[in-house]
Amino acid sequence: KLDISITIISHTTSPIKRDGLNLGDILGYSGDLGSVGSDLNRLLAGEKIDKTSKFIKPTLRSNFFHKVAPYLTSAMDISDGLSKDLSRLSDINGVGFEFFVDLDKKLLCSGEEYEVLFSCNEKDLDKIKEIAKTTSTTVTFFAKAVDGTYKSICKENHFE
């Protein structure tokens, strides 16, 4: 089997970085999380996975993100699991998180999700929800940035 990895480098005048998260911002993520981690575990056990898996065929949500970009304060891909990436945002921005949605460990620790973790000002929630609706994008808002820190509950590397 041959695996090919492609990197695209581009330029923008208004990038959305990881370091724009402010106290009071609401955190959300695109899509559904957890299936890729399950599929990875199946592959590592020598089992087959469905050809429609996001692990094989990710969904690019460019239409949604181009439209919501002006309302986001920070964003990053969910590559090492939501919990690990929240830990990164916490370290970079010096904030903790108050969760208002219960998220299980499977969802928090599933990596290579091909989805985006993002933050926004609470006043922009309705605009983002409307854009999500018009672009048929599932979005889950789950926490608020507060004073404190956040440490990941997941193992360091999902390939261990």
Side-chain angles (χ1 to χ4, degrees):
K1 181 175 181 179
L2 174 65
D3 290 315
I4 299 172
S5 178
I6 299 172
T7 301
I8 299 172
I9 299 172
S10 66
H11 175 75
T12 182
T13 56
S14 55
I16 303 167
K17 300 180 182 179
R18 296 178 180 190
D19 65 356
L21 179 61
N22 303 300
L23 289 175
D25 280 355
I26 303 298
L27 285 100
Y29 60 83
S30 63
D32 296 311
L33 305 183
S35 67
V36 175
S38 296
D39 287 347
L40 173 62
N41 289 333
R42 283 188 196 94
L43 288 171
L44 291 173
E47 299 173 17
K48 294 192 183 286
I49 60 173
D50 193 286
K51 292 183 190 288
T52 62
S53 167
K54 286 194 303 183
F55 196 84
I56 295 172
K57 189 175 181 173
T59 301
L60 182 62
R61 302 182 194 288
S62 58
N63 189 27
F64 170 72
F65 282 104
H66 284 147
K67 290 179 179 183
V68 298
Y71 306 108
L72 303 184
T73 56
S74 70
M76 66 183 291
D77 67 312
I78 302 173
S79 57
D80 292 325
L82 181 60
S83 185
K84 183 64 183 169
D85 293 326
L86 282 169
S87 178
R88 289 186 176 110
L89 282 182
S90 174
D91 290 345
I92 292 166
N93 295 284
V95 300
F97 305 109
E98 179 182 298
F99 289 78
F100 49 80
V101 171
D102 288 328
L103 304 175
D104 65 25
K105 189 170 182 178
K106 175 185 172 187
L107 184 144
L108 285 165
C109 297
S110 180
E112 305 305 331
E113 284 290 342
Y114 305 105
E115 298 295 352
V116 176
L117 167 62
F118 60 89
S119 63
C120 65
N121 188 293
E122 194 167 5
K123 70 177 176 54
D124 294 322
L125 281 175
D126 288 339
K127 292 175 195 162
I128 293 171
K129 288 176 183 177
E130 182 58 32
I131 293 168
K133 184 178 176 182
T134 62
T135 60
S136 300
T137 303
T138 300
V139 173
T140 302
F141 294 101
F142 64 92
K144 186 174 196 168
V146 296
D147 280 325
T149 60
Y150 176 84
K151 297 296 176 201
S152 177
I153 64 163
C154 307
K155 61 185 176 183
E156 185 61 29
N157 185 327
H158 50 267
F159 291 109
E160 291 180 316

